[in-house]
Each structure stands twice: as C-alpha cells, then as structure tokens.
Amino acid sequence: MKVGLFIPCYIDQFYPKVAIATFQLLGKLGCEIIFPQGQTCCGQPMANSGFASLSGGCDKNFIANFSGVDYIVAPSGSCVLHIKEHLNDGKSPAEAEFIRTHIYELTEFLTDVMKLEKLSARFPYKVGLHNSCHGQRGLHLSSMSELVAPAFSKPAALLNMVSGLQLCLPERPDECCGFGGTFCVFEEAVSVKMGVDRIKEHESNDVDVITGGDVSCLMHLEGIMKRKGSKTRVMHIAEILNSEL
Amino acid sequence: MNPSHAKLAEAFNADEKRTDWHDQTLWFVRQKRDKAAHVLPEWEKLRQWASDIKDHTLSNLDVYLAEFEQKATANGVQVHWALDAADHNAIIHKIIRDQGLTRIVKSKSMLTEECHLNDYLQQSGIEVIDTDLGERIVQFRKEPPSHIVLPAIHLKKQDVSETFQEHLGTEAGNYDPQYLTQAARIHLREKFIQSELAITGVNFAVAETGGFVVCTNEGNADMGVHSAKIHIGCMGIEKIIPKAEHLGVFTRLLARSATGQPITTYTSHFHRPRPGQEMHIVIVDNGRTRQLGREDFRNSLKCIRCAACFNTCPVYRRSGGHSYHTAVAGPIGSILNPNLDMKANADLPFASTLCGSCTNVCPVKINIHEQLWKWRQVIAEEGLVAPSKKYSMKMMAFVLARPSLYRIAGSAGRWVMRNLSFLVKVKSLNPWYKQREMPDAPKESFRDWYKKNKEV
C-alpha cells in the first residue's frame, strides 16, 4: 500500500515532531510511505477567508505532488476536509477526483482503511480529547452531540488501545476551541475566550495532556496555556499513538 | 457604518463574568433542546421531512401564496402585498391612520423588527407597545432584541429591576423575578384591555386553509388580538406551507429546537375575523425573492426562526446578539443579512469558526456553515474585505503555490521568530500574541528532518 504523506505547511514548519510521529507510526504499521518534496499547503487559509479563487496554484501543486499513490494521509482533519471539499483543477479533473476521494485524516485511515484493532503503545497519563470541528462534523470522525444517532469516536477508540492511558472527555464534548483559521486573529477576543473555556473544562478534569487530531486547535490552546503558565501540555494524537511500549 | 462584529464582540467580552453567564444560560437552553430531541427516535426523520416540505414549497412559492391569498380572502381576511420594508410599514400605517387608532399592541414579530416598524410609527407619532415580556424590557431600554426567541437574554435580573424601577416604578433593589414579572403583567394587562389594534407575527401560514399560526409562550398574541377590533398579521413570503397536515412536523420541531419544550404553550390558529373584527395579513418580500434567486443561499429561506443555531453557536454565546448589529443575529442572521445589505453586513459571514454545529441543530437542515463559507467568497469577490487582508492573501497564495519559495519563506520566518522574536511580539500588530504565546520555531522543518532520516 503506497501512502502519500501530506504534512500541512504549518506542521512542517512549526510542529515537525507531529509529522515525524505520523511518519514513524505509519511505517511501524507496514505502510510504504512517500513524502512528495514539492508539497506546500492545501489552500484552506485563502479559501476560508473568501479567496478560494486564489487557491488554484495550491490545487495544481497538490495534484502534481500526490498523483500516483493509493492513499493520501495527513495528521490534520481540517486540511483533509478542505481537499475533499474544494480541491479542483480543470486541467486534471480525474486526478483531482481521485485525490478528493482517497485522502484520509490519520485516525480515520487507521480505523477505516488499516482496520487497526490493537496498538503497541504506552502512555501512562491522563489525557483529555479535543474533538476538532472539521474532523468531527466534516469528516465524521466521531458522533456529534447535536444529532440523534449512535455514539462512536475513531480517535477515542484508538486512544483506548494505548496502554496506561486514561481518557477524559470535557463536559461539552464537541464544542469548538475558537481557532477557526484566520478567525483566531480577526476575532481575537472571542477566539481567546473560546479557548480559555475549553482549557478550563479540560483542567477541571485534571488532565496531563490535551490531545486531538488538528495541530491548529492545539497550537491555539497551547498559546493560551503557555501565557497562563499552565502545567498541562498539548500533544497531537499521532505522538501518543506512536509512543513506545 | 456599524462597528464590526469583532469590535462589538470584544467590547462584550470586556466583562468576562457576564460573558460566562451569557454562555452558560444559552448552553443550558441548548442542552434542553438536546434532551427534547433525543427522546424522539424519529428526530432526524422529522428534520428531513421539514426540509423536504420547505424545498417543495420554495419551488412552488407562487402557487401556494396565490392559493393562500384566495382562501384567506374567501375567509374574510384582507390580504396586502409588500415589496419591501417601506411598503410593509406604509400599509400598516395606513390601516392605523384610516381608523384613527392610538392604542396599539404588538406580539413579538421579527419581521416588524427587520422592517423597523416601531421606529417608523414612532416618527409618525404612533406608539406601539411590545407585549412579549422580553420585548417590552428591551423596548423600555430603547434597545433592539439580542436574540429572536429570548430577546432580553443579554440582561440579568438586576438590569431588568433597574429598567422597571425607571419605567414602572418598582422597588429599587428588588430583583425577585416573581415580583418583577408581576409588575410587568399588571402593566401589560392594562395595555391589552385598551388595545384597539393588535399586530402579530406569523409562524406558519397554510395555503390550503388560508389560516395562520402564531406560537408564543406567554399567550400575549391571543391577549392582544382578542380585545382589539383590528388584527394585522405580518408574514414573510417564506412562512407558507402547503397543507394543514404539514403543521405538525413544524410545530414539533419548532418548540423543541427553540426551548426544549414539546410544544409552545400557546399555538394559536387564526382563520377569519370574529364578528365585528377586521383581520389583515401583510405578505412581505423584502429581499426574499432575491435570496430565492441565489442558488447557494435559497436554502436559508427554510428558516422557521427557532434560534437553535444561536444557542449552539460558540461565537454567539460569547459575543451577544447586539454584536451582529442586525435584527436577526446569530448564524442564520449572518447568512440572511448580507442579502439585505451586503456592504453593511460584510463582516457577519466571518463571525464564525465554521464549526458546523449550527447546521447540525437546524430543524429544517439549512447548511448554515456552508453558506457562511460561500458568502465569504461572494463578499471577497465584491471587494468588501479590507485591502490589507486581500493583499496578504494574494501574497500567501503566491508563496504557497511555489515550493522552493515556500521553503525559503518558511526557514526565514522561523529564523526571525527565533532570533528577532521582538518583531512578532508587538501586541498591536500581532493579535495572536495579545493573549497567546507564539508557537516555538524549530531549527529544522519536517522536510529537513526527512531528508536526513528517511533512510534510517
């Protein structure tokens, strides 16, 4: 199985450890991983700001880099959702269509494609799970509290395979953290307040670590926690699933 | 021009305790809605039916509105058509003037808010008393409602006490809700008894029967209408449904979505004037056909004004209704208002994280967060975003489409963050840094690491 590893721009630049954990984890599980060197960004920052018309260059570049693999996997629900919903190129419609339907967020890839049932990882800490909105409501990584439907959670199922890990959910299990792309700067006050409230709920559970599938949300929460001098850390779910036994 | 949502929301957040209280109060309503929805195994089916009925109706709006007019007229109701807000206000003004009436009551109607009827009538020397308790409170304070179902939800009982002390002469410092409600009740009862003309909203109008339904929890619509000799119902063209048998789908969804109740306390059906009474219906377009013609946004006309999207919206809960500077606030308002005035409301589609919770709670399945995304595209195309934002987006798109340039920019950016960190630590220039630390800038990107380690 040839897996194209998509490392979103800001993870490449600021959180290489998340990318390394994703790369190592997929390798351990027997995937043949290709990391296309010319990849940059999915184009979401422009599109969410109203400038989807400017993301053509990103689309073209993405298609040039990721054609010819069986699956594309990324440790970021929101970038994956953007590609699924908006990747397009008039000149290579078939390639774009293939990519849109074969791109996976890491936890859904492990659950739905690799059908992972056990994992040799150990992480003896109390962990709070932050469900990122685009992964949850966009990619349906877990059931949503608004809908009348059976409960499930792909990231929680994976975390429960990690030995020693104690999983805690906040009281509002799927409320947005307030990152929201450029929302975090253009609506700074509300964005921070939303983050502060999310953190408060996790801290009342006395967690050691807040984890999730989107580094963007975690980066926002980490920024607030560092400013406050909180002892709680953030870690991407790949780092926990890749932790050694 | 209005201050932007971001500015108004920042001002709202200055009082953190009040923000917390606002958030928790509305979250409580959202939880009540969840409980009410989750006891109905057919909930998702109901939403689908409601959505399908509305789809069908919006595609045949002309037919059903004409049928409604014919049936209502046959029932002895006078039907008026209003192209816009000015028309709507003028029609109502004429009815009042022709009869020379002065004692007018109104039960909550967001359409009359949308048309600014109160201001218009007041300028002509006519006063209208809002009879919904929350509406009356904000009317005393000369404020618009901050929520379409809970119009005074931004106020605490202390605020209400002060307002009533000023306008109704209640005791200073008496915050007892029972006492305050009683004072309002006595005051409003007087107005009801004197009412010569009652204006109500319309929740649903039934084409098949020519009748319409008004839902309230305080019974104030009935109280006003029953003593007045003239009743005017104001409805947007999208309030029509084909048949009486469809009503149950909507009334079951409306109350549960709005407040978590199985049904509103009063669900009143009006068909014809009682002997000696006049009944009018004003059917208003005010931009609705324009929205109907916008393929990406026509779905927004399905809205039944339950406000579930307000209560679930993490941004609304922490910014308050007035930050949306429009009659209909919240997520639904952010997709309806750019249609009414795109320039004045260009900020609203950006007042969201696109988390999608609004879409999930919507009882008629409006794809609210997708429409917010689409409005952003339209607004950018119309040149209604700040030039600085447009310029930075163009720069970003240019760099990100060029892998080698991206790599250089990335390393340069990280170098600056490590070595010249003061540059990014100017709070007035970097809103991120105002209340958050910057992420650490590692020496090595993943790409650098990969080149060295892929074979290891």
Side-chain angles (χ1 to χ4, degrees):
Chain A
M1 186 167 22
K2 224 188 207 177
V3 174
L5 182 62
F6 167 39
I7 297 302
C9 49
Y10 72 105
I11 299 182
D12 177 39
Q13 295 297 328
F14 295 117
Y15 292 88
K17 58 184 183 170
V18 173
I20 295 168
T22 309
F23 175 73
Q24 290 177 337
L25 177 65
L26 289 169
K28 268 193 228 171
L29 297 170
C31 300
E32 183 198 336
I33 307 162
I34 291 154
F35 178 70
Q37 295 291 307
Q39 60 176 288
T40 57
C41 164
C42 62
Q44 185 182 201
M46 283 82 78
N48 279 10
S49 306
F51 294 89
S53 57
L54 295 178
S55 60
C58 280
D59 284 1
K60 206 171 271 180
N61 187 52
F62 199 93
I63 293 168
N65 275 279
F66 284 101
S67 293
V69 294
D70 298 320
Y71 295 100
I72 298 147
V73 177
S76 167
S78 89
C79 305
V80 167
L81 182 67
H82 174 78
I83 294 288
K84 259 188 192 304
E85 290 185 336
H86 303 296
L87 181 85
N88 232 320
D89 182 21
K91 287 199 178 134
S92 26
E95 284 87 346
E97 158 83 17
F98 183 85
I99 290 172
R100 282 199 304 270
T101 49
H102 289 78
I103 186 163
Y104 284 82
E105 182 273 343
L106 176 66
T107 64
E108 72 174 333
F109 181 73
L110 297 178
T111 311
D112 298 355
V113 179
M114 308 237 12
K115 315 256 185 227
L116 212 62
E117 277 172 7
K118 59 179 193 311
L119 197 60
S120 51
R122 181 176 157 76
F123 193 76
Y125 297 99
K126 214 170 172 189
V127 173
L129 174 61
H130 172 64
N131 285 307
S132 293
C133 307
H134 288 190
Q136 187 187 31
R137 298 199 187 85
L139 298 172
H140 298 188
L141 298 183
S142 53
S143 49
M144 298 153 248
S145 61
E146 303 93 4
L147 299 181
V148 177
F152 71 95
S153 170
K154 293 174 190 180
L158 292 168
L159 289 169
N160 283 329
M161 294 176 198
V162 177
S163 88
L165 186 148
Q166 191 187 340
L167 186 62
C168 300
L169 287 179
E171 211 184 311
R172 302 180 189 184
D174 51 10
E175 174 137 304
C176 176
C177 69
F179 172 71
T182 51
F183 181 88
C184 70
V185 293
F186 290 109
E187 288 264 2
E188 185 266 343
V190 178
S191 169
V192 169
K193 179 61 181 152
M194 287 166 70
V196 164
D197 290 353
R198 278 288 61 191
I199 292 163
K200 216 179 275 171
E201 278 190 60
H202 282 292
E203 285 182 342
S204 73
N205 283 340
D206 206 21
V207 299
D208 302 301
V209 170
I210 300 174
T211 192
D214 266 280
V215 183
S216 49
C217 308
L218 298 176
M219 174 171 76
H220 161 67
L221 297 176
E222 180 182 51
I224 297 169
M225 290 196 296
K226 272 194 183 165
R227 179 65 60 90
K228 286 198 318 174
S230 166
K231 62 182 196 328
T232 313
R233 292 179 298 150
V234 299
M235 279 174 87
H236 187 267
I237 192 165
E239 297 177 89
I240 295 178
L241 300 179
N242 188 49
S243 56
E244 290 301 323
L245 198 58
Chain B
M1 191 162 157
N2 290 315
S4 68
H5 178 271
K7 279 257 172 306
L8 294 164
E10 188 179 6
F12 186 82
N13 269 268
D15 185 346
E16 192 175 1
K17 274 195 180 149
R18 190 177 273 264
T19 307
D20 284 339
W21 172 82
H22 191 261
D23 167 54
Q24 282 152 13
T25 307
L26 289 159
W27 182 255
F28 175 71
V29 184
R30 152 80 208 266
Q31 284 178 308
K32 276 177 70 187
R33 171 259 170 218
D34 289 353
K35 279 182 199 141
H38 284 261
V39 295
L40 295 187
E42 71 274 31
W43 181 256
E44 300 301 333
K45 235 187 241 171
L46 271 176
R47 290 176 71 219
Q48 191 58 50
W49 282 341
S51 173
D52 291 346
I53 295 167
K54 284 281 183 184
D55 266 338
H56 168 84
T57 314
L58 289 173
S59 300
N60 298 278
L61 210 48
D62 54 338
V63 176
Y64 289 120
L65 285 170
E67 185 184 351
F68 177 77
E69 179 183 32
Q70 189 215 334
K71 296 281 165 59
T73 309
N75 290 343
V77 180
Q78 299 177 47
V79 178
H80 309 261
W81 297 88
L83 181 63
D84 53 20
D87 242 6
H88 163 267
N89 294 346
I91 289 166
I92 293 172
H93 187 196
K94 184 171 186 307
I95 298 170
I96 296 170
R97 207 180 38 211
D98 286 354
Q99 305 272 345
L101 305 177
T102 53
R103 293 187 288 269
I104 296 160
V105 291
K106 180 157 71 77
S107 103
K108 201 158 80 78
S109 148
M110 288 316 296
L111 178 62
T112 60
E113 286 292 331
E114 177 187 315
C115 297
H116 302 290
L117 177 69
N118 284 13
D119 288 347
Y120 171 88
L121 291 178
Q122 202 168 355
Q123 278 163 23
S124 312
I126 299 164
E127 201 194 1
V128 181
I129 305 292
D130 281 320
T131 59
D132 172 276
L133 177 58
E135 287 273 320
R136 188 67 184 130
I137 295 166
V138 292
Q139 191 183 29
F140 276 140
R141 298 170 64 94
K142 299 192 171 26
E143 287 175 5
S146 68
H147 184 289
I148 55 176
V149 172
L150 310 160
I153 197 67
H154 59 292
L155 299 171
K156 293 184 155 189
K157 58 187 179 185
Q158 288 84 346
D159 305 317
V160 176
S161 170
E162 281 162 25
T163 306
F164 280 7
Q165 189 202 334
E166 185 187 338
H167 295 275
L168 299 178
T170 53
E171 280 170 30
N174 191 335
Y175 305 146
D176 177 25
Q178 191 84 37
Y179 168 74
L180 295 171
T181 312
Q182 182 65 12
R185 198 167 276 163
I186 293 166
H187 160 72
L188 285 171
R189 182 145 306 178
E190 230 170 75
K191 302 292 177 190
F192 284 131
I193 292 168
Q194 297 165 352
S195 99
E196 298 169 312
L197 185 143
I199 299 169
T200 70
V202 169
N203 287 91
F204 306 101
V206 182
E208 177 188 40
T209 64
F212 62 94
V213 172
V214 182
C215 303
T216 71
N217 271 326
E218 298 166 20
N220 51 313
D222 309 63
M223 298 269 270
V225 167
H226 289 168
S227 48
K229 63 174 193 170
I230 299 178
H231 173 190
I232 306 175
C234 302
M235 65 176 265
I237 54 170
E238 81 285 13
K239 296 289 178 182
I240 195 91
I241 57 171
K243 289 173 184 294
E245 70 185 52
H246 299 140
L247 260 176
V249 174
F250 292 101
T251 49
R252 292 184 81 197
L253 286 165
L254 176 66
R256 286 182 172 88
S257 298
T259 57
Q261 293 165 270
I263 190 103
T264 47
T265 314
Y266 299 89
T267 303
S268 307
H269 299 244
F270 298 97
H271 286 97
R272 55 185 60 80
R274 60 167 192 275
Q277 191 199 30
E278 260 180 40
M279 194 184 274
H280 299 259
I281 292 172
V282 187
I283 303 176
V284 185
D285 182 337
N286 203 32
R288 285 162 176 74
T289 48
R290 184 171 55 233
Q291 188 87 326
L292 191 68
R294 301 185 200 264
E295 200 187 334
D296 288 336
F297 306 111
R298 81 193 293 267
N299 220 353
S300 62
L301 295 175
K302 289 179 182 174
C303 177
I304 58 171
R305 304 290 193 268
C306 68
C309 63
F310 286 54
N311 304 335
T312 204
C313 179
V315 176
Y316 173 86
R317 276 187 265 115
R318 291 176 184 82
S319 56
H322 291 157
S323 65
Y324 293 79
H325 54 76
T326 47
V328 179
I332 185 71
S334 298
I335 59 176
L336 291 173
N337 291 305
N339 173 57
L340 290 175
D341 186 341
M342 207 187 295
K343 195 169 177 210
N345 300 313
D347 56 328
L348 297 183
F350 295 90
S352 164
T353 60
L354 305 181
C355 78
S357 188
C358 47
T359 299
N360 275 355
V361 294
C362 180
V364 289
K365 290 202 168 183
I366 302 172
N367 53 336
I368 302 175
H369 76 292
E370 289 172 11
Q371 292 192 36
L372 288 167
W373 190 90
K374 291 205 160 132
W375 265 123
R376 293 179 184 191
Q377 312 304 321
V378 175
I379 283 162
E381 202 163 300
E382 297 285 327
L384 296 171
V385 290
S388 55
K389 193 174 184 180
K390 186 176 169 182
Y391 181 69
S392 61
M393 286 299 151
K394 279 193 163 168
M395 279 282 292
M396 224 169 145
F398 185 82
V399 173
L400 292 171
R402 290 163 180 78
S404 48
L405 192 56
Y406 155 78
R407 279 198 289 276
I408 295 166
S411 332
R414 278 184 282 115
W415 189 87
V416 168
M417 282 172 72
R418 282 196 314 276
N419 298 296
L420 304 169
S421 65
F422 65 91
L423 283 176
V424 289
K425 291 186 175 173
V426 182
K427 290 181 185 176
S428 57
L429 296 177
N430 180 3
W432 175 280
Y433 188 69
K434 219 169 144 187
Q435 302 183 68
R436 286 168 289 219
E437 291 300 317
M438 299 297 289
D440 291 332
K443 278 195 175 154
E444 211 176 46
S445 69
F446 172 68
R447 191 179 318 264
D448 302 333
W449 178 92
Y450 179 81
K451 277 186 188 159
K452 284 190 230 158
N453 295 278
K454 65 178 169 179
E455 305 303 341
V456 180

